Amino acid sequence: MAGSQWELPPELCCRPMAFVALTGLDVVYNAVHRAIWDAFCANRRADRVPISFKVLPGDHEYPKCRTKRTSYEWYIPKGIVKTGWMNKHLNLVPALVVLFYELDWDDPQWKEKQSECATKVEIVRTSLQGRNTKVAVVLIQKKTPLPPGEDLVASERASALCSSCDLSGKSLFVLPHTDHLVGYIIRLENAFYEHAQTYYYTEIRRVKSHKEFLNKTTHQLLFVRHQFKMAFLSELKQDTQNALKYYRAAYSLVHELRAHETNMLEIKTMAGFINYKICRLCFQHNTPLDAIAQFRKHIDLCKKKIGCAELAFEHSAWMSKQFQSFGELFDEAIKLGLTAIQTQNPGFYYQQAACYSQDRKQMAQQLCQAGTTYPSPDPLDTQSGGLDFYGQRPWRQGHQSIDPTDPEKEKLGILALQIKERDVPHSELIIALLSNAVAQFKKYKCPRMKSHLMVQMGEEYYHARDYTKALKLLDYVMCDYRTERWWPLLTAILTTALHCAYLMASVKDYVIYCMELLGRASTLKEEQKSRIEKNLFKVLMNDIPEAESECDQSSVGAARSLWTDRMALSGSNELTVEMQDYIPFIQCKARFQSPSFHVDQPIQLQVFLRADCPHPVSFSKLTVSLSNQEYNQWCVVESSGQDSMTLLPGKPRCYNFSFVAKTEDVGKKVEMTGIEMMLGGDSGRCVFLSWRGAGGDAASTQEALQASRSSRRWGRGNEARQELDWDTLTLQHSTMIISRVPRICVQLSHQPPALTNEMFCINLTVQSQEDVMAKDVKLTAGLKPGQEAGLGQTTHVTLDGSSVCDDNAPALLTDVPLGDLTPGEKLEKCVYMKCVSTGPRIFLFHVAYSIDTAVEGRHIVCNCHKDETVTVETVVPFEVSVKFVSTKFEPLEQVAVDIPFLLMTDILSSSPWPLLLSSSSLQLLTVTSSTPQLQSQLQQVVLQTGESASECFCLRCPADTSSSNTVATGQYVVSWRRKCSSADSPLIQTTVTLPHVILESVPLYIYADLPSFGRVRDSLPVRYHIENRTAQVQEVEIAVDPSDAFMFSGLKQVRLRVLPSTEQQMLYNYYPLMAGYQTLPQLNISLPRCPTSSSPTLRRFLPQRIFVKPQGRQPDDASIAAA
Amino acid sequence: MFHICLLMFSPQNYPLYIRSVPCQNELKFHYTVHTSLDVVEEKVSAVGKSLADQRELYLGLLYPTEDYKVYGYVTNSKVKFVIVVDSSNTSLRDNEIRSMFRKLHNSFTDVMCNPFYNPGDPIQSKAFNGIVSGMMVQTVCVF
């Protein structure tokens, strides 16, 4: 195969390992030997020594060693390195031959076996005549050996065996066939490895020793050969540092060789080999920069060494291979842990390799035309079937002079090579390399490089006539270039793609690429565009397009017949092309005239079209699809033969559509879902250009952005321009249909704020300003939805203002029919709101009606509505405060059972409007009224803002109240309304729950009967009542303190007993001496039996002071008489 | 005669200005420059990370190919300049390229100052063209 001529030989690319031959093992029939062999070759991981083992028969013939040259004086080398040399040292000439022999130390037939073994060693030695290969013997023993020195027989017999086999003691090994086979084997192979290393060491020395016999004139080739051999042997010895040194030396020597046309290939081949080895070792030593530097040097040195001009493709092939193999080495190193970067990764080398392969292809096309018949006899045939030396010509092997020996033979040879080159699948090679490179660039974040290479791949597929694959690749990368807006590159790709589509006769692709090449993104010249446009019209007419200019003749013929078939095929004559993904030659932009339309207006829609191609384009149909398909029928233009359907180059055209929206679509959005334009007609082929939404294509967004920037700068200039500016046209792809503008007047009147619980009245006035009857007027009134969640429960709306509504009334009254309104008619309505809680509320008044109207001659029934909202604050009308006081108007913390006390209420108005308090009442619980009939003291009282009204009730807690500590007292109900509201408006009952009281029971109750005032020097009779409220007899001690203001008569100190539930009376006659408020003589009461109730607690029931009037001028005789 | 190619890109990476001397093989230049944007993008995003480097607009040699050397430069408004020269053109060293970029940047600033120029549009300024031509003739014809 011609391609493989450039492949590196496998023996060069493998890792050299010491070669050790194992003989005397019967791995087929002997299980023990099989196990030993398996232990050697199985599981060779990195931690085992690098040896390649081979089992050979005992009498194997090793390659013969040629007699060693004693002098190089008359020797002229025929080439640099022989093709078989590396393989010979890797696989044929062992560093060590190991003879396995089954023999125990105590074998009964020791003597015979010893001599048999010696014979076998001798056979091996003979066959290795002249080589430095070592021989070693391994005795396979059944018994475990004793520790060294203990087994005297063993050591004696060992030395006997050594001497009979002529072995050194170090070359005799014992392998007991016991449990620890692998362990023994590993020890054995380490020993073998040492022997092998010695062997290679001596070999290197031997090659080195030749140097002194060489001279620089005739033996230049040998210098390279010897360095190469030493390097390779060093590798076998695993001495990679020295190997690298020798290879580098060999590399510089190879370039010192006299190069001429005849040996150029040999020099390059060897330079390539050595370079490969150097780079490989550098990567292995983890010095990738050295590898790259070496490779660069190598390329720079060899780039210009083209050699034979007729075979220039060979040079490119070789260069390509250099890059490829370096790329592979690099890639391998990366797999072993090297990190590459964006600007230095194997991809570049693969790419360059592909590049040289492309050169090779081109040169092959240029150079390989001449030869028609392959020369006979084949000049490339050699007797051995291969070459003796790497990189030589088969027809003149070993020839080293400057001029070819036989010019005729040379010519034939070149011809043969050229003819062979013609059969090389160049494109395949290029594509393989490119796809390698693509994979690398993908890894190292080079998307554009990747695209570029994919374009190249596509082009290569195109050249290889695999158009389907070519289109697939080109199509894939096209959109990258489209989004990056690189029009020259996009145009180039499109042109190739158009060729592919033409040659495949793929109608749809052909049409698409034509359209884009005609578009504004294309950088083609006008005449090319014109040609393409004509072709496009031909296809539309179901005709065969003209051939693309750069296609070769043979494929054009094939394409023509394909097109003819395609044309004959009827049926698939319609195709739809999505324009959004391309930059086609017809641009489309559509917009609704306004973002919203009233339902009684026609909806207006404009479609702008512009052709960028050089010739006018006619189309047969333009349709706009809308989200509601019922409107689609209004948005169609069809050609009727006149020029309205022709687009002139570069001139935008506008198509207007209008339609009447359906009334049920009010509140909905109408969207353009697509625009379709039909090119061609029924006679030929039709192509539907389809835009999604409201038009635009792959480039229009950016253009619009750019245009908006410039119009922002030059906004003023824009308006002045007469002509439509295409770029600033904006798309408006949807519109709202909104209801007709109502022509009624809705007014609200009310008196805010609302008071809690009142029936707040809002007066609604609706007046029609319509020209015709407004029918079905409906009112929706109440709390506007969407406010705080709790408001719905605390707001009630009703139309009935005569009574207070209950909690079942809704928060929003819906669709209250108000009848019809004639033009100009006025309608009033009161709506009552009851707000239970305070805070702001938004009330909505929604008046809806329907009206007959006509739009563009069509009668429609429009529903109109008008909304009014009002925000109303709700406040508390008044505050009620309540307190309990004793009969002495002292605040009470506790209420004594069965003793009268006072309840005082206070109503403080906080309403901005005057309030009329209609009445108030107490609804008592537990406690009873002391007065027989409770009468409201607040009837018909009017309170202005900030005024307050008070009431006082005397209450008593009945004696039989249960002993519980606190008791509920009941409720206070106030009924009221706004003063300004009409008299028949309902009264609002506001209920205030009275506070609980803490009860207290007193064992003894004392109270005094005394007149409301006294008079100086006038007798003042006071009677004290002492009641025992307990079930026991109470002993009471009473003493009266003297007082300056009074004289008195009565018992000054007394001790008395009060029987249960009875009372005692004490009568005193006080005689006031001073006028004014006077403190009454203090009564000290104590209950010896009941120490808790002391004198002060009892004293609180008694009056402290009394007002004493001065003596009158005419004293009342009666009172004196009483004193 | 050496080749030289000069390109400028918008921040969105589409070309604002392309000029190459001589004109043949222009497409190949375009591809080369377009691919070099990978490296420019990478370098620009790397600069963003370390604030200290932000002052340096010159990106240096972007990557060497067999045939061309590609140099890059990014203005503060992320407009990119790229110069491609033949690999064999050894007379243009880093310093020369750097000063070419600086000159370009200055005249680009002049273009931007033109109130009639809309940023993002292809550059069609005659003055700019003249400066670029002068620069190219100078570099190409010295040899």
Side-chain angles (χ1 to χ4, degrees):
Chain A
M1 200 184 121
S4 65
Q5 180 197 346
W6 306 106
E7 292 297 327
L8 297 176
E11 56 266 32
L12 184 77
C13 302
C14 68
R15 179 192 173 190
M17 288 193 283
F19 175 36
V20 171
L22 308 180
T23 67
L25 283 179
D26 179 4
V27 295
V28 182
Y29 296 109
N30 189 323
V32 175
H33 290 186
R34 177 86 219 170
I36 292 169
W37 169 236
D38 283 346
F40 272 117
C41 61
N43 255 334
R44 291 209 71 84
R45 282 188 311 250
D47 54 337
R48 307 259 305 247
V49 284
I51 302 180
S52 80
F53 289 104
K54 225 178 233 184
V55 171
L56 296 173
D59 51 356
H60 178 79
E61 290 280 330
Y62 298 96
K64 285 275 176 300
C65 183
R66 263 183 291 114
T67 47
K68 292 282 176 266
R69 209 175 293 281
T70 46
S71 151
Y72 280 89
E73 214 162 310
W74 296 104
Y75 176 67
I76 294 172
K78 291 180 169 172
I80 302 175
V81 175
K82 284 202 170 173
T83 48
W85 188 81
M86 282 188 280
N87 187 42
K88 188 168 86 180
H89 285 273
L90 282 171
N91 297 315
L92 302 175
V93 177
L96 173 72
V97 178
V98 184
L99 175 70
F100 283 83
Y101 192 71
E102 285 189 38
L103 182 61
D104 276 284
W105 295 128
D106 53 355
D107 196 284
Q109 294 171 304
W110 170 259
K111 273 273 180 268
E112 290 81 354
K113 293 231 169 155
Q114 180 184 334
S115 64
E116 191 193 340
C117 180
T119 321
K120 287 195 170 187
V121 170
E122 198 45 41
I123 293 169
V124 171
R125 282 238 170 84
T126 325
S127 138
L128 287 168
Q129 195 72 55
R131 300 225 176 259
N132 292 326
T133 304
K134 308 265 191 234
V135 179
V137 172
V138 176
L139 298 180
I140 303 172
Q141 298 191 333
K142 294 190 183 70
K143 290 178 188 153
T144 319
L146 295 168
E150 283 185 24
D151 193 345
L152 292 175
V153 182
S155 53
E156 182 199 319
R157 288 193 164 177
S159 61
L161 188 64
C162 279
S163 63
S164 72
C165 297
D166 194 12
L167 282 175
S168 83
K170 282 184 181 170
S171 303
L172 179 66
F173 303 95
V174 171
L175 174 61
H177 180 60
T178 52
D179 303 341
H180 309 291
L181 185 62
V182 177
Y184 283 113
I185 295 289
I186 287 176
R187 279 168 66 181
L188 265 184
E189 67 183 25
N190 285 337
F192 295 166
Y193 183 61
E194 265 172 49
H195 279 291
Q197 289 220 317
T198 329
Y199 166 76
Y200 290 121
Y201 174 73
T202 49
E203 284 297 293
I204 294 166
R205 290 294 297 264
R206 197 171 59 76
V207 177
K208 216 181 229 171
S209 68
H210 297 326
K211 197 178 170 185
E212 51 193 296
F213 303 111
L214 307 180
N215 67 62
K216 288 220 165 166
T217 48
T218 49
H219 295 145
Q220 266 198 318
L221 298 178
L222 291 185
F223 280 109
V224 181
R225 183 191 295 174
H226 290 163
Q227 289 295 337
F228 182 80
K229 283 188 175 179
M230 289 195 294
F232 195 78
L233 290 169
S234 298
E235 273 198 280
L236 283 166
K237 195 182 163 234
Q238 308 304 321
D239 181 2
T240 52
Q241 293 295 350
N242 271 322
L244 186 57
K245 203 175 80 193
Y246 291 132
Y247 278 129
R248 281 193 193 279
Y251 189 81
S252 57
L253 285 169
V254 95
H255 282 292
E256 281 172 24
L257 293 177
R258 274 187 299 272
H260 36 84
E261 251 181 43
T262 46
N263 73 347
M264 191 63 96
L265 183 63
E266 187 175 6
I267 290 176
K268 279 195 302 195
T269 307
M270 280 319 294
F273 285 4
I274 298 168
N275 173 65
Y276 178 83
K277 278 290 191 190
I278 295 174
C279 295
R280 194 188 156 96
L281 288 174
C282 285
F283 278 124
Q284 203 177 315
H285 291 160
N286 205 11
T287 51
L289 291 180
D290 287 357
I292 291 167
Q294 161 64 29
F295 183 72
R296 287 245 58 90
K297 189 175 107 191
H298 173 58
I299 291 303
D300 288 344
L301 284 170
C302 297
K303 198 158 43 175
K304 295 281 184 286
K305 294 193 173 168
I306 296 167
C308 176
E310 288 110 317
L311 296 175
F313 55 82
E314 282 194 333
H315 178 66
S316 301
W318 179 81
M319 286 294 278
S320 168
K321 193 68 215 171
Q322 297 306 304
F323 277 100
Q324 186 191 351
S325 47
F326 186 77
E328 279 161 4
L329 277 179
F330 200 166
D331 201 14
E332 225 161 88
I334 289 165
K335 277 179 197 142
L336 292 174
L338 186 71
T339 44
I341 53 169
Q342 193 192 32
T343 50
Q344 190 56 260
N345 68 58
F348 286 100
Y349 299 97
Y350 287 129
Q351 186 204 4
Q352 205 56 41
C355 202
Y356 275 108
S357 282
Q358 283 165 339
D359 284 355
R360 176 187 183 185
K361 188 178 100 178
Q362 257 175 15
M363 283 185 225
Q365 278 169 351
Q366 280 168 15
L367 296 169
C368 306
Q369 307 267 329
T372 42
T373 50
Y374 194 77
S376 177
D378 188 355
L380 304 186
D381 240 10
T382 53
Q383 282 164 341
S384 59
L387 293 169
D388 289 345
F389 288 94
Y390 284 117
Q392 293 195 343
R393 298 294 182 194
W395 59 88
R396 48 168 169 78
Q397 291 200 67
H399 176 83
Q400 285 294 337
S401 60
I402 292 175
D403 294 316
T405 37
D406 184 348
E408 204 52 42
K409 233 182 178 180
E410 188 74 18
K411 250 185 207 163
L412 283 178
I414 288 170
L415 184 63
L417 284 174
Q418 286 178 339
I419 290 172
K420 284 224 153 153
E421 181 71 12
R422 284 200 304 212
D423 302 334
V424 174
H426 290 112
S427 294
E428 255 174 55
L429 295 175
I430 296 168
I431 287 165
L433 287 169
L434 284 173
S435 69
N436 272 350
V438 165
Q440 293 292 337
F441 283 118
K442 209 172 182 175
K443 214 155 67 181
Y444 295 102
K445 288 195 257 172
C446 302
R448 294 179 186 87
M449 185 62 108
K450 195 186 106 195
S451 307
H452 175 39
L453 294 174
M454 283 171 80
V455 171
Q456 288 187 341
M457 272 170 88
E459 283 170 352
E460 208 49 57
Y461 273 121
Y462 164 66
H463 293 311
R465 302 194 182 172
D466 190 343
Y467 304 122
T468 327
K469 277 188 184 157
L471 273 191
K472 208 169 164 190
L473 278 166
L474 293 176
D475 217 37
Y476 183 83
V477 291
M478 242 182 254
C479 60
D480 292 341
Y481 288 99
R482 209 177 279 129
T483 45
E484 295 250 286
R485 300 163 56 77
W486 274 74
W487 307 140
L489 299 182
L490 179 64
T491 309
I493 298 166
L494 278 170
T495 312
T496 315
L498 182 69
H499 290 179
C500 288
Y502 171 73
L503 294 171
M504 283 167 78
S506 160
V507 178
K508 185 169 182 182
D509 290 326
Y510 188 81
V511 168
I512 291 172
Y513 298 135
C514 279
M515 285 182 181
E516 198 157 12
L517 278 171
L518 288 172
R520 60 200 190 282
S522 154
T523 55
L524 288 183
K525 297 216 172 57
E526 215 43 19
E527 61 260 31
Q528 279 169 302
K529 282 192 176 179
S530 157
R531 188 182 58 80
I532 289 171
E533 194 178 356
K534 278 179 190 146
N535 273 339
L536 178 61
F537 289 137
K538 274 192 179 170
V539 173
L540 290 179
M541 299 301 291
N542 214 1
D543 216 340
I544 302 169
E546 265 173 48
E548 294 300 316
S549 48
E550 291 140 43
C551 303
D552 67 295
Q553 282 312 308
S554 61
S555 40
V556 165
R560 242 190 218 122
S561 71
L562 271 177
W563 276 101
T564 327
D565 293 352
R566 212 39 63 88
M567 294 304 154
L569 225 94
S570 55
S572 61
N573 272 355
E574 289 185 6
L575 42 102
T576 307
V577 184
E578 286 288 337
M579 297 314 237
Q580 235 79 17
D581 315 329
Y582 306 102
I583 307 172
F585 72 127
I586 294 177
Q587 295 184 67
C588 170
K589 286 182 176 186
R591 64 177 187 197
F592 284 106
Q593 293 276 51
S594 151
S596 63
F597 284 96
H598 293 289
V599 70
D600 57 337
Q601 291 173 312
I603 294 180
Q604 285 175 323
L605 174 69
Q606 288 179 314
V607 178
F608 296 91
L609 292 174
R610 193 173 99 151
D612 298 318
C613 49
H615 301 293
V617 190
S618 298
F619 62 96
S620 31
K621 198 173 173 186
L622 176 70
T623 58
V624 183
S625 329
L626 297 158
S627 51
N628 187 343
Q629 289 168 359
E630 286 173 57
Y631 300 134
N632 287 358
Q633 50 178 319
W634 309 108
C635 303
V636 180
V637 209
E638 241 166 313
S639 94
S640 48
Q642 72 275 55
D643 69 342
S644 70
M645 308 296 274
T646 302
L647 300 175
L648 295 177
K651 290 257 176 0
R653 256 203 108 103
C654 173
Y655 293 87
N656 289 306
F657 301 102
S658 81
F659 56 89
V660 179
K662 295 196 176 295
T663 44
E664 57 265 35
D665 274 355
V666 171
K668 287 184 191 161
K669 218 176 204 181
V670 178
E671 261 178 279
M672 282 189 239
T673 51
I675 298 168
E676 209 166 58
M677 176 177 173
M678 190 169 102
L679 282 184
D682 305 329
S683 57
R685 214 168 261 284
C686 37
V687 179
F688 292 97
L689 313 188
S690 152
W691 286 269
R692 284 190 296 274
D697 52 40
S700 57
T701 340
Q702 171 70 22
E703 283 162 0
L705 186 75
Q706 195 65 23
S708 72
R709 259 189 227 154
S710 68
S711 67
R712 225 176 292 149
R713 285 189 172 194
W714 302 108
R716 273 175 304 156
N718 235 3
E719 291 148 24
R721 225 176 297 167
Q722 280 294 312
E723 209 175 304
L724 180 72
D725 183 21
W726 181 264
D727 286 337
T728 49
L729 266 181
T730 48
L731 308 180
Q732 170 75 46
H733 81 288
S734 67
T735 191
M736 252 334 246
I737 300 174
I738 51 179
S739 55
R740 179 177 172 276
V741 183
R743 290 169 66 195
I744 53 166
C745 173
V746 177
Q747 281 176 328
L748 300 174
S749 67
H750 59 121
Q751 290 177 315
L755 304 177
T756 316
N757 286 328
E758 85 167 320
M759 297 298 283
F760 182 67
C761 173
I762 297 182
N763 207 339
L764 176 82
T765 312
V766 181
Q767 185 168 22
S768 165
Q769 291 159 347
E770 294 282 0
D771 303 328
V772 289
M773 171 92 92
K775 281 187 254 179
D776 286 337
V777 184
K778 279 178 184 162
L779 169 72
T780 297
L783 196 66
K784 191 178 178 188
Q787 298 182 71
E788 243 178 274
L791 284 181
Q793 275 84 51
T794 55
T795 313
H796 308 285
V797 181
T798 177
L799 294 174
D800 177 19
S802 60
S803 63
V804 178
C805 67
D806 57 4
D807 289 354
N808 295 328
L812 181 70
L813 280 178
T814 51
D815 294 336
V816 180
L818 300 180
D820 297 347
L821 271 182
T822 52
E825 192 186 329
K826 203 170 185 178
L827 189 149
E828 283 191 36
K829 195 87 189 169
C830 278
V831 182
Y832 295 90
M833 316 282 175
K834 182 182 158 193
C835 305
V836 181
S837 64
T838 58
R841 284 172 176 76
I842 303 171
F843 290 106
L844 169 76
F845 293 87
H846 170 96
V847 180
Y849 62 96
S850 65
I851 193 157
D852 288 335
T853 179
V855 194
E856 296 196 321
R858 287 184 61 206
H859 275 280
I860 54 167
V861 179
C862 291
N863 290 316
C864 306
H865 63 87
K866 181 140 189 178
D867 286 357
E868 285 289 332
T869 55
V870 63
T871 306
V872 176
E873 187 81 27
T874 304
V875 296
V876 182
F878 50 79
E879 304 278 352
V880 177
S881 58
V882 175
K883 59 186 177 191
F884 294 103
V885 292
S886 69
T887 44
K888 287 158 72 184
F889 290 98
E890 286 166 347
L892 278 182
E893 280 171 17
Q894 294 173 324
V895 171
V897 176
D898 204 19
I899 293 166
F901 62 94
L902 296 178
L903 167 72
M904 293 190 66
T905 62
D906 200 18
I907 299 172
L908 172 67
S909 165
S910 55
S911 148
W913 306 97
L915 293 180
L916 174 72
L917 300 182
S918 162
S919 68
S920 68
S921 65
L922 269 182
Q923 289 165 1
L924 293 173
L925 268 171
T926 321
V927 291
T928 53
S929 172
S930 294
T931 40
Q933 261 190 337
L934 270 180
Q935 212 171 14
S936 172
Q937 296 140 10
L938 298 174
Q939 269 170 6
Q940 302 302 323
V941 170
V942 173
L943 280 185
Q944 300 291 338
T945 314
E947 288 180 344
S948 69
S950 298
E951 275 188 289
C952 185
F953 301 97
C954 186
L955 305 176
R956 174 195 286 270
C957 199
D960 52 352
T961 315
S962 63
S963 59
S964 67
N965 228 348
T966 58
V967 290
T969 42
Q971 286 176 322
Y972 180 55
V973 182
V974 182
S975 51
W976 57 277
R977 60 181 168 86
R978 283 189 191 213
K979 187 177 179 265
C980 53
S981 63
S982 60
D984 57 345
S985 63
L987 287 170
I988 301 116
Q989 308 279 339
T990 300
T991 305
V992 179
T993 304
L994 297 172
H996 288 213
V997 290
I998 304 168
L999 289 184
E1000 166 193 43
S1001 53
V1002 284
L1004 200 72
Y1005 177 51
I1006 182 160
Y1007 65 97
D1009 270 344
L1010 77 167
S1012 51
F1013 61 88
R1015 201 183 284 275
V1016 174
R1017 265 176 283 185
D1018 212 348
S1019 141
L1020 178 75
V1022 176
R1023 187 183 296 274
Y1024 291 102
H1025 300 257
I1026 302 160
E1027 279 180 35
N1028 180 2
R1029 292 275 173 92
T1030 61
Q1032 289 116 28
V1033 178
Q1034 293 288 347
E1035 205 162 289
V1036 183
E1037 281 183 14
I1038 297 172
V1040 183
D1041 287 350
S1043 164
D1044 290 343
F1046 293 95
M1047 293 195 294
F1048 67 91
S1049 68
L1051 295 169
K1052 188 162 190 269
Q1053 187 165 15
V1054 69
R1055 189 185 180 116
L1056 51 95
R1057 283 196 179 137
V1058 189
L1059 292 178
S1061 304
T1062 57
E1063 70 164 41
Q1064 288 277 346
Q1065 294 181 0
M1066 305 273 293
L1067 181 69
Y1068 288 90
N1069 242 335
Y1070 291 138
Y1071 188 71
L1073 300 175
M1074 289 180 245
Y1077 273 111
Q1078 299 300 338
T1079 306
L1080 285 170
Q1082 205 167 20
L1083 223 62
N1084 284 323
I1085 309 156
S1086 65
L1087 300 175
R1089 294 247 182 105
C1090 186
T1092 50
S1093 46
S1094 56
S1095 167
T1097 53
L1098 288 172
R1099 218 181 279 148
R1100 71 194 151 132
F1101 300 121
L1102 296 176
Q1104 295 288 309
R1105 296 185 305 178
I1106 192 162
F1107 186 73
V1108 179
K1109 290 182 176 178
Q1111 205 170 13
R1113 287 185 182 238
Q1114 293 160 331
D1116 190 338
D1117 294 335
S1119 61
I1120 297 166
Chain B
M1 186 91 161
F2 288 111
H3 292 88
I4 181 158
C5 178
L6 190 152
L7 277 106
M8 289 170 56
F9 314 101
S10 70
Q12 294 83 28
N13 290 336
Y14 62 85
L16 291 178
Y17 186 85
I18 306 180
R19 190 78 181 282
S20 59
V21 179
C23 286
Q24 77 248 33
N25 228 348
E26 200 170 347
L27 200 62
K28 194 175 175 191
F29 271 121
H30 281 217
Y31 276 121
T32 310
V33 174
H34 184 244
T35 50
S36 74
L37 279 176
D38 286 333
V39 187
V40 175
E41 291 269 274
E42 194 70 17
K43 288 205 175 194
V44 169
S45 64
V47 163
K49 282 168 202 154
S50 58
L51 283 167
D53 304 346
Q54 244 173 1
R55 296 303 307 159
E56 183 59 293
L57 305 174
Y58 179 56
L59 299 177
L61 183 63
L62 295 179
Y63 71 98
T65 65
E66 274 307 290
D67 313 315
Y68 306 118
K69 282 186 197 155
V70 185
Y71 297 89
Y73 188 90
V74 179
T75 69
N76 286 322
S77 54
K78 300 280 176 286
V79 172
K80 293 138 195 164
F81 299 177
V82 169
I83 291 180
V84 187
V85 295
D86 275 340
S87 283
S88 46
N89 189 342
T90 46
S91 62
L92 281 176
R93 264 164 313 213
D94 217 44
N95 259 344
E96 281 83 21
I97 298 283
R98 204 184 274 261
S99 71
M100 276 166 76
F101 274 129
R102 207 160 298 140
K103 225 190 264 179
L104 269 180
H105 194 175
N106 284 341
S107 43
F108 175 66
T109 316
D110 292 344
V111 171
M112 290 296 283
C113 291
N114 177 357
F116 295 96
Y117 175 72
N118 185 20
D121 280 350
I123 297 173
Q124 281 154 343
S125 153
K126 276 184 194 160
F128 187 76
N129 242 344
I131 285 169
V132 172
S133 303
M135 213 158 71
M136 285 190 156
V137 166
Q138 205 183 355
T139 48
V140 171
C141 297
V142 171
F143 320 98

